[in-house]
């Protein structure tokens, strides 16, 4: 409603429903609501607009964490991309690669998904579209071997930036999370240090399970940030508040469509503004 | 666990004698929270709790020695009755070929489940022609072809030519080859993408499918019912495939989708392998959603 709308029980109820509908989750919604109601009493707010304004400011500030974008301050800069099945890892890598090749940087894509049908073919098309190089291995081969070879090749070729694509995996599958640990170890061995960024790709249409995804992936390979995809859908991606609350890492980029140019650096203000429309 | 939470709630309350109506109200709130945490949509959670309330108040809960168990049983029974009331088997035509159209959001598991369904039907003696109608996603056709090879079934594709025409020609091809079933894999799309939804309407018009299956990721959040509704209004969904149920998501989206569309849940995806397909068991899903 308008900013002149009174701050009454009906407003609070509608506000709570909007938070829930945006996938903030019961716990996060309740905490936010209690916090706002307390301040409303203390500061004697009368209009709904005051609550909405304060909410926006608080969440923007909460989500505005440092260390989000990929910086090419080391050569090669290595970015490991992880997440559950179908979230948009491969597509996001293609989009990210294009942003950097457009700046004249040399980019290498490593096809670390050796399992899923046509995964490497898919990445190869993104390499072509973005003007990147690609290293791939045999289907059903050891993904760690491809990752090691890929990073080694990237170092030898003097590329600026390497993206490592990995297979989608549900966070509760221990054998697959062990495989990811191995990929992480192998990355460190090939590079002589930790990867510069490990990014978790989360689908904005996902519900509360995204929190468990973030926590378990973070345990296996420490995350530096998130990519939230499919924000062009009707989903609001509100679960990321719960994620940031738990792992205290920034949202680095957002996916806004399937085309190569539909990826943006995360803008907290923009994100919060669309939570309610 | 809902029974533990209600048990803890009631043991606090029954410490002072029998339950009151307001105690029951508190239990219902707890149930609503459990459903929301399971990603059930707010409106489905509310209407479900209303159903339970009606039965709970008539069930002598206030006299019960084990009120928590009684309420949980009511929840479970109501959820099973709600989810289990529909025809859960795939429907086929008497006049082949029978057409199955797979639709849904990006990344939900359509292509994988085209392969899974084809394999399952093959094991039951029905041969399928897989039709590659996703002309957008890089290597989508290669992906379906790879799956076809794995299960030794043909894949009909015409590259990036008009997918509506490809679908129509695919059905004609199945007829020509005497193949009883056509499974059409389509591109993932948003229900709000008018151009792509129109494409899907045209595919349906020219192929006259006997099953239009909405493939839904089990971990979908609060938008699940709205998304499914968008597809249902324009296409008429005849069944739901719930994917990635091998994870630990509670799968509340299934209740929201089913409640909103009335389309029966027919198949459950439980892994990446083509053999990872299960029939739908309402009591299993009910237990999982209630947590
Ligand atoms: N609408 C929309 N679709 C997206 C976005 N990002 C990716 N997609 C689509 O989501 C689907 C899955 O994308 P992929 O890149 O294959 O996802 P993935 O995480 O690599 O999948 P797996 O490797 O199988 O786990 C594709 O159809 C993409 O086009 C986005 O921001 N918006
Ligand atoms: N664990 C698990 N993974 C699944 C299941 N079904 C599909 N997947 C995986 O989910 C990812 C996406 O599957 P696809 O079949 O490519 O999804 P899609 O709906 O065809 O994607 P688009 O065509 O891009 O819309 C792949 O990594 C699949 O292996 C399932 O039941 N369990
Ligand atoms: Mg991928
Ligand atoms: Mg597909």
């Amino acid at each position: 409603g308008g900013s002149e709308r009174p701050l009454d029980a009906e407003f609070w109820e509608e506000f709570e429903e909007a938070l829930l509908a945006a996938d903030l989750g019961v716990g996060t919604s309740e905490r936010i609501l209690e916090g706002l109601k307390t301040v409303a009493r203390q500061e004697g707010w009368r209009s709904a607009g005051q609550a909405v304004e304060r909410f926006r400011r608080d969440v923007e500030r909460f989500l505005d964490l440092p260390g989000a974008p990929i910086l090419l301050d080391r050569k090669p800069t290595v970015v490991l991309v992880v997440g559950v099945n179908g979230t948009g890892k491969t597509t996001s890598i293609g989009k990210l690669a294009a942003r950097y090749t457009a700046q004249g940087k040399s980019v290498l894509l490593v096809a670390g998904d050796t399992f899923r049908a046509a995964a490497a073919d898919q990445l190869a098309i993104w390499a072509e579209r973005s003007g990147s190089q690609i290293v791939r291995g045999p289907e059903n081969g050891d993904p760690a071997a491809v990752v090691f070879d890929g990073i080694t090749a990237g170092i030898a070729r003097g590329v600026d930036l390497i993206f490592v694509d990995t297979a989608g995996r549900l966070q509760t599958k221990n054998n697959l999370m062990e495989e990811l640990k191995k990929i992480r170890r192998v990355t460190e061995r090939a590079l002589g240090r930790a990867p510069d960024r490990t990014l978790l790709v989360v689908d904005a249409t996902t519900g509360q399970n995204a929190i468990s995804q973030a926590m378990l992936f973070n345990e296996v390979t420490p995350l530096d940030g998130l990519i939230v995809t499919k924000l062009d859908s009707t989903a609001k991606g509100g679960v990321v508040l719960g994620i940031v609350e738990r792992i205290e890492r920034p949202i680095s980029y957002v996916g806004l469509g399937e085309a190569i140019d539909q990826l943006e650096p995360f803008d907290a203000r923009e994100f919060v503004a669309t939570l309610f429309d | 666990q809902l029974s533990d939470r209600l048990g803890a709630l009631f043991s606090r309350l029954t410490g002072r004698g029998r339950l009151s109506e307001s105690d029951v109200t508190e239990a219902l709130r707890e149930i609503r929270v459990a459903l929301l945490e399971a990603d059930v949509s707010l409106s489905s959670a509310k209407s479900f709790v209303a159903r339970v309330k009606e039965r709970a108040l008539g069930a002598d809960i206030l006299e019960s020695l084990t009120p928590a168990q009684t309420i949980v049983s009511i929840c479970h029974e109501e959820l099973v009755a709600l989810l289990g009331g529909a025809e859960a088997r795939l429907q086929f035509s008497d006049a082949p070929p029978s057409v199955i159209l797979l639709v849904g959001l990006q990344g939900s598991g359509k292509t994988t489940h085209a392969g899974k369904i084809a394999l399952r039907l093959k094991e039951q003696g029905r041969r399928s022609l897989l039709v590659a109608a996703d002309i957008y996603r890089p290597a989508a056709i290669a992906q379906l072809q790879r799956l076809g090879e794995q299960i030794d079934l043909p894949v009909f594709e015409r590259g990036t030519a008009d997918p509506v025409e490809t679908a129509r020609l695919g059905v004609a091809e199945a007829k020509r080859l005497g193949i009883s079933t056509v499974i059409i894999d389509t591109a993932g799309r948003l229900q709000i993408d008018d151009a792509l939804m129109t494409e899907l309407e045209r595919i349906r018009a020219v192929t006259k499918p006997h099953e239009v299956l909405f493939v839904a990721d089990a971990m979908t959040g609060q938008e699940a019912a709205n998304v499914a509704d968008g597809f249902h209004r324009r296409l008429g969904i005849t069944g739901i495939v719930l994917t990635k149920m091998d994870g630990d998501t509670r799968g509340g989206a299934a209740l929201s989708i089913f409640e909103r569309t009335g389309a029966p849940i027919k198949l459950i995806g439980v892994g990446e392998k083509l053999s990872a397909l299960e029939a739908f068991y309402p009591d299993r899903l009910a237990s999982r959603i209630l947590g």
Side-chain angles (χ1 to χ4, degrees):
Chain A
S3 56
E4 292 319 311
R5 176 180 177 171
L7 191 60
D8 56 13
E10 186 188 348
F11 166 77
W12 285 122
E13 183 162 339
E14 222 169 285
F15 193 70
E16 180 185 24
E17 300 207 347
L19 294 180
L20 290 171
D23 277 316
L24 267 75
V26 184
T28 303
S29 301
E30 282 182 356
R31 274 195 294 284
I32 287 176
L33 237 41
E34 281 318 300
L36 286 174
K37 283 177 177 173
T38 303
V39 182
R41 276 194 302 274
Q42 289 169 352
E43 300 191 3
W45 295 344
R46 307 298 288 279
S47 86
Q50 290 174 288
V52 174
E53 195 40 46
R54 180 58 170 256
F55 168 78
R56 289 212 171 122
R57 224 184 59 202
D58 286 352
V59 177
E60 261 179 57
R61 208 175 281 163
F62 177 72
L63 291 179
D64 195 20
L65 292 167
I70 294 167
L71 304 169
L72 271 60
D73 46 7
R74 307 187 76 149
K75 185 164 174 150
T77 292
V78 175
V79 181
L80 186 58
V81 178
V82 304
V84 305
N85 307 71
T87 55
K89 298 176 291 300
T90 305
T91 305
S92 299
I93 286 172
K95 294 170 178 177
L96 279 169
R99 287 180 73 88
Y100 289 95
T101 55
Q103 296 171 19
K105 304 297 179 193
S106 57
V107 181
L108 169 68
L109 309 184
V110 178
D113 180 355
T114 58
F115 170 74
R116 207 210 67 215
D121 296 341
Q122 183 186 7
L123 190 68
I125 292 171
W126 282 110
E128 201 177 324
R129 286 180 179 181
S130 61
S132 313
Q133 304 170 41
I134 181 166
V135 166
R136 53 189 292 182
E139 283 226 0
N140 286 313
D142 175 18
V146 182
V147 171
F148 187 85
D149 292 346
I151 293 176
T152 304
I155 292 170
R157 296 179 203 175
V159 301
D160 296 313
L161 179 57
I162 300 175
F163 287 99
V164 179
D165 191 15
T166 62
R169 68 200 70 226
L170 298 183
Q171 71 278 19
T172 46
K173 305 230 157 154
N174 289 325
N175 58 330
L176 296 182
M177 295 309 269
E178 283 302 313
E179 177 187 89
L180 188 57
K181 263 190 212 163
K182 183 174 178 205
I183 288 174
R184 170 72 190 230
R185 278 199 304 275
V186 150
T187 300
E188 296 188 359
R189 206 157 35 92
L191 204 52
R193 57 182 170 75
D196 300 276
R197 288 282 186 281
T198 299
L199 302 179
L200 176 72
V201 181
V202 171
D203 183 332
T205 66
T206 307
Q208 297 308 300
N209 193 259
I211 295 186
S212 140
Q213 291 172 22
M215 291 176 66
L216 294 182
F217 270 88
N218 196 33
E219 276 178 29
V220 162
T221 172
L223 302 174
D224 296 294
L226 272 73
I227 299 176
V228 182
T229 61
K230 309 179 196 175
L231 274 170
D232 48 316
S233 69
T234 50
K236 303 302 167 114
V239 67
V240 304
L241 269 74
I243 292 178
V244 172
E245 210 174 355
R246 297 300 193 301
I247 68 168
E248 294 178 47
R249 290 290 178 273
I251 299 161
S252 309
Y253 300 92
V254 295
L256 298 165
E258 303 190 70
I260 199 164
D261 61 350
Q262 289 178 319
L263 183 95
E264 303 284 339
F266 177 69
D267 181 315
R269 171 155 307 184
E270 192 71 21
F271 180 79
V272 175
T274 57
L275 267 183
F276 288 151
D277 56 42
Chain B
Q1 268 281 324
L2 183 62
S3 47
D4 299 332
R5 292 159 72 151
L6 291 181
L9 176 71
F10 286 148
S11 62
R12 280 206 319 276
L13 301 176
T14 53
R16 46 180 162 72
R18 295 217 311 275
L19 282 188
S20 70
E21 287 224 5
S22 74
D23 296 336
V24 172
T25 304
E26 240 183 277
L28 294 173
R29 196 171 307 147
E30 199 64 35
I31 293 166
R32 189 175 108 158
V33 167
L35 293 175
L36 289 172
E37 286 176 346
D39 292 323
V40 175
S41 70
L42 183 56
S43 65
S44 288
K46 282 184 184 174
S47 65
F48 182 77
V49 169
R51 280 169 79 117
V52 170
K53 176 176 185 175
E54 209 167 317
R55 271 200 60 188
L57 293 181
D60 301 325
I61 298 282
L62 307 183
E63 312 292 323
S64 170
L65 292 175
T66 58
Q69 277 95 305
T70 310
I71 292 198
V72 173
S73 308
I74 290 174
C75 281
H76 190 87
E77 284 171 25
E78 283 302 307
L79 199 43
V80 171
L82 183 56
L83 292 172
E87 173 53 74
R89 290 168 307 176
L90 286 180
Q91 303 296 300
F92 297 98
S93 160
D94 308 315
S98 213
V99 179
I100 299 173
L101 183 64
L102 297 177
V103 305
L105 291 177
Q106 290 88 347
S108 62
K110 297 173 295 299
T111 305
T112 306
H113 283 75
K116 288 186 187 181
I117 293 171
L119 179 60
R120 177 59 47 89
L121 295 182
K122 184 179 182 185
E123 291 164 350
Q124 295 171 354
R126 291 190 73 99
R127 216 157 161 266
S128 301
L129 175 68
L130 293 161
V131 176
D134 178 354
I135 67 167
Y136 310 103
R137 170 172 156 154
I141 295 174
Q143 185 184 4
L144 193 64
Q145 285 175 322
R146 212 64 52 88
L147 298 183
E149 285 161 18
Q150 285 177 24
I151 55 181
D152 191 25
L153 285 173
V155 174
F156 181 83
E157 57 88 18
R158 298 191 319 137
T160 54
D162 176 24
V164 179
E165 189 61 5
T166 296
R168 189 185 70 75
L169 290 172
V171 176
E173 182 74 351
K175 231 179 224 145
R176 190 180 73 79
L177 295 173
I179 297 178
S180 68
T181 315
V182 177
I183 300 173
I184 305 173
D185 180 28
T186 66
R189 68 204 65 213
L190 304 180
Q191 82 281 10
I192 52 172
D193 186 328
D194 189 55
L196 285 183
M197 289 305 288
T198 301
E199 172 190 281
L200 216 40
E201 284 174 328
R202 292 178 56 223
I203 289 176
R204 200 207 59 196
V206 303
T207 59
K208 303 191 179 27
H210 306 85
E211 286 282 1
V212 179
L213 300 179
F214 180 66
V215 180
D217 193 324
M219 63 182 96
T220 308
Q222 291 287 311
E223 271 302 297
N226 293 332
V227 173
D229 189 51
F231 280 85
H232 187 50
R233 278 172 190 280
R234 295 188 67 157
L235 302 171
I237 301 298
T238 62
I240 299 164
V241 179
L242 205 55
T243 68
K244 308 176 202 173
M245 281 283 279
D246 44 319
D248 65 348
T249 189
R250 297 261 292 277
L255 174 59
S256 319
I257 293 170
F258 173 69
E259 241 216 329
R260 180 74 78 85
T261 64
I265 300 166
K266 300 206 172 192
L267 293 166
I268 308 287
V270 290
E272 294 195 71
K273 296 209 178 79
L274 294 186
S275 53
L277 189 66
E278 287 180 0
F280 168 58
Y281 295 102
D283 56 323
R284 284 192 203 169
L285 183 60
S287 302
R288 180 167 177 153
I289 289 175
L290 289 173

